[in-house]
Structures are given as structure tokens and as C-alpha cells.
Amino acid sequence: MWVGTHLGGLNRLDIKNGRTKVYRFNDGPANTLSHNIIKDILPYKDSLIIATHNGLYMYDKASGKRRDIFEDSDLEKVVRVINKIYLDSKFNIWISISNKGIVRHNLETGKSTLFKPSGERTISDVNIYDIIEDEFGKIWLSTANYGLDMFDPE
């Protein structure tokens, strides 16, 4: 079991023997963690998608190495302080970025789109606290200031 902590890094609990291994920024190789505030974790294939207070990473559980998902992209400096991540049924990861809006990033194609409040048919707030997909493929967003958004990005 993987557990993200606030300031304590990433913990891996072996349920069989009760032992915990702790991974912290600055405790190991430079490519393990980028920050000790872990905001969210999602399993993806043989890896973990880890949202930190300093970006979004694909973490290889076997090697212990991370890869910045937005490295060398236009969004690298935007996707930093993350509130929440969600993987939808189309392999899009939705990334709520503090005071910046929400990014849809397709893990298969690498294509990304940043959504910000800009009128009708978009999001109502730059701060999204929760994300979920309904049975019809609509994305629901819990916002800080304007309640619940039903978002259809198509």
C-alpha cells in the first residue's frame, strides 16, 4: 500500500509484515521525489502517478525513479502545486492546479489542454478540490468558490 503524506514524503506499507519504507525528497537519488508534500497518488500500469507540491510525476515502482510528466512542455511551469488528480475512462488524467485551473492530459498520446474560467461552457473557478467522472463520461468538479461544475470538455 502506498501512502502520501504532508511533509513526510511517500510511504510504502507492506501489509504482510507491517513494515514501512519511507521515501523522502533529499534522502535518496535526485530522481526519486521532488517534494515531501504528496497531494495525491493514482496507480497506472506498473507505475504510480504522484501529485506533489512541486509537480506531477510518473514513479516506477520497480526502479524507484520518477519522470516529470510535463518536463520540457509548455505546461512544465504551470503544473506545480496540485490539489487533486483523477484518471478518467479515456486515460485522461485531470490535474487540478492551485490558482491555475485544470489540465486534461492524455497518458497515451501526451496531449494536454489547460482549462481556465473564461465564460460559458468552461470551468467556473481556478481552484478545483475534487474531480469525478459520471457514467456518461461527464466530468464533475467541486470548486472552491462556485460549487459544483458539470464539465463536458468536448
Side-chain angles (χ1 to χ4, degrees):
M1 175 187 306
W2 294 87
V3 179
T5 68
H6 185 81
L7 297 175
L10 181 67
N11 297 315
R12 189 175 126 233
L13 171 64
D14 186 326
I15 296 175
K16 292 178 185 173
N17 65 24
R19 291 191 179 130
T20 302
K21 179 160 176 61
V22 178
Y23 303 85
R24 287 193 179 99
F25 178 63
N26 287 337
D27 280 357
N31 60 357
T32 52
L33 284 181
S34 67
H35 205 282
N36 285 326
I37 297 177
I38 308 297
K39 299 294 282 194
D40 214 346
I41 303 169
L42 291 175
Y44 180 72
K45 297 183 180 178
D46 293 330
S47 298
L48 299 173
I49 301 167
I50 300 177
T52 74
H53 215 61
N54 190 31
L56 186 69
Y57 302 92
M58 188 70 71
Y59 180 80
D60 185 304
K61 294 185 282 187
S63 70
K65 294 181 180 179
R66 69 167 163 87
R67 176 183 59 84
D68 186 335
I69 290 177
F70 292 101
E71 188 173 35
D72 300 325
S73 85
D74 293 342
L75 293 172
E76 182 177 16
K77 300 235 185 286
V78 174
V79 181
R80 287 290 132 214
V81 179
I82 298 170
N83 292 328
K84 180 74 178 168
I85 56 176
Y86 180 80
L87 184 63
D88 73 15
S89 61
K90 298 174 186 160
F91 298 103
N92 292 306
I93 185 162
W94 293 85
I95 307 127
S96 166
I97 308 151
S98 186
N99 295 311
K100 306 266 190 223
I102 194 165
V103 170
R104 176 184 60 193
H105 176 77
N106 188 282
L107 291 166
E108 304 297 316
T109 67
K111 183 179 176 191
S112 300
T113 306
L114 173 63
F115 299 96
K116 299 186 218 178
S118 62
E120 290 185 36
R121 299 193 48 86
T122 187
I123 63 174
S124 66
D125 198 344
V126 292
N127 286 306
I128 309 293
Y129 289 127
D130 209 356
I131 308 162
I132 195 163
E133 178 182 25
D134 69 18
E135 62 199 51
F136 305 106
K138 304 292 188 229
I139 301 297
W140 292 85
L141 308 169
S142 167
T143 72
N145 298 298
Y146 298 103
L148 189 63
D149 288 354
M150 192 278 296
F151 185 57
D152 184 358
E154 303 308 324

